[in-house]
Amino acid sequence: FKNGKSLYGLMKKEDDINELYALYCEEKLRQNVMDFDDLIQNCIKVLKYLKEPLGPKHIIIDEFQDTDARQLELIRKMADEQTSIFAVGDPDQIIYSWRTGQTNIFSEYRKLFRPAEMELPLNYRSTRTIIEAASQFVGNRQIEGIKDYGNPIVIKKHHDAFNEALHIAREIKALNQAGTAYRDIAVLYRRQAQSEALL
């Protein structure tokens, strides 16, 4: 919301997210805390008062594809001409554009720092099954792997979190009945909230 995006922009009625955001800001001040975005923005403000950049010898950036314009500005304000910047990222894995991630962040980085670029043409982690599926989404880039085919990819669509959790529970039960111990089964999820239906 604070970046100008409406969370409920497709709803028929106006929401009250602006009131919630105002309360959120008041509570942060009351508790004397900052969220991640505040840390970035306030660091940029502090660095503006310095007569010269901090100039660390090295800056290392992992998962660069998740970087946004303000984070790039923070890097620019920290670095001087002697700073060595090492960034690792994959433009085909930009997944945070719904938040603040930018699809053009790599070209912005190139303009600012004119880096030497290296590609890793081999995937050591994924099976050929996953690599062939991923290749359908990455355009002209060739991805090669060293592993054989693995289990087939299964896509399931559920109407809600309860049905998804029910499906997972049934799959776990079937694995257990086929001889897999419960301690050898794990459920991976991206956000903590997704685990609630499973608990």
Side-chain angles (χ1 to χ4, degrees):
F1 172 77
K2 69 181 171 184
N3 294 316
K5 293 184 180 179
S6 174
L7 297 177
Y8 303 102
L10 300 177
M11 293 177 71
K12 292 179 181 175
K13 294 183 180 178
E14 284 294 314
D15 56 63
D16 57 356
I17 193 71
N18 56 334
E19 293 171 33
L20 180 63
Y21 180 66
L23 291 170
Y24 172 67
C25 290
E26 286 174 22
E27 187 63 18
K28 285 191 297 180
L29 284 172
R30 192 182 71 73
Q31 293 190 31
N32 194 29
V33 296
M34 291 187 276
D35 63 23
F36 183 73
D37 291 328
D38 296 332
L39 291 171
I40 300 294
Q41 197 58 42
N42 289 327
C43 282
I44 291 169
K45 285 179 184 175
V46 168
L47 289 170
K48 283 180 182 175
Y49 290 105
L50 298 179
K51 292 188 171 139
E52 49 192 62
L54 290 176
K57 191 170 182 184
H58 303 285
I59 295 176
I60 300 173
I61 311 159
D62 193 20
E63 302 293 353
F64 184 78
Q65 69 273 4
D66 300 333
T67 306
D68 64 23
R70 285 176 308 142
Q71 292 166 349
L72 197 56
E73 184 183 358
L74 176 62
I75 295 160
R76 189 175 57 79
K77 290 201 175 300
M78 286 174 58
D80 65 14
E81 292 180 5
Q82 306 304 314
T83 301
S84 171
I85 302 174
F86 182 79
V88 178
D90 183 351
D92 291 322
Q93 292 187 39
I94 295 173
I95 60 171
Y96 285 108
S97 56
W98 59 271
R99 190 174 179 274
T100 55
Q102 294 178 241
T103 53
N104 67 338
I105 200 70
F106 284 87
S107 58
E108 292 298 316
Y109 180 72
R110 286 183 192 106
K111 282 183 208 169
L112 282 172
F113 300 107
R114 284 178 247 128
E117 295 183 53
M118 291 177 276
E119 287 193 9
L120 299 174
L122 284 178
N123 181 311
Y124 295 92
R125 186 186 308 174
S126 304
T127 62
R128 188 174 298 276
T129 307
I130 291 172
I131 290 171
E132 286 183 4
S135 296
Q136 304 302 309
F137 300 97
V138 296
N140 297 326
R141 231 173 101 204
Q142 275 303 107
I143 306 173
E144 294 183 39
I146 62 168
K147 291 186 176 183
D148 287 330
Y149 286 95
N151 293 330
I153 296 169
V154 178
I155 299 172
K156 295 279 184 187
K157 185 170 181 172
H158 302 282
H159 295 293
D160 55 33
F162 175 79
N163 282 306
E164 183 179 40
L166 187 61
H167 171 76
I168 291 168
R170 287 176 177 154
E171 289 292 312
I172 289 171
K173 185 177 181 182
L175 286 168
N176 180 255
Q177 289 174 342
T180 303
Y182 284 119
R183 70 176 175 273
D184 294 329
I185 300 171
V187 178
L188 306 178
Y189 45 87
R190 235 175 92 201
R191 295 180 303 125
Q192 188 68 30
Q194 291 175 293
S195 70
E196 292 172 5
L198 291 167
L199 301 176

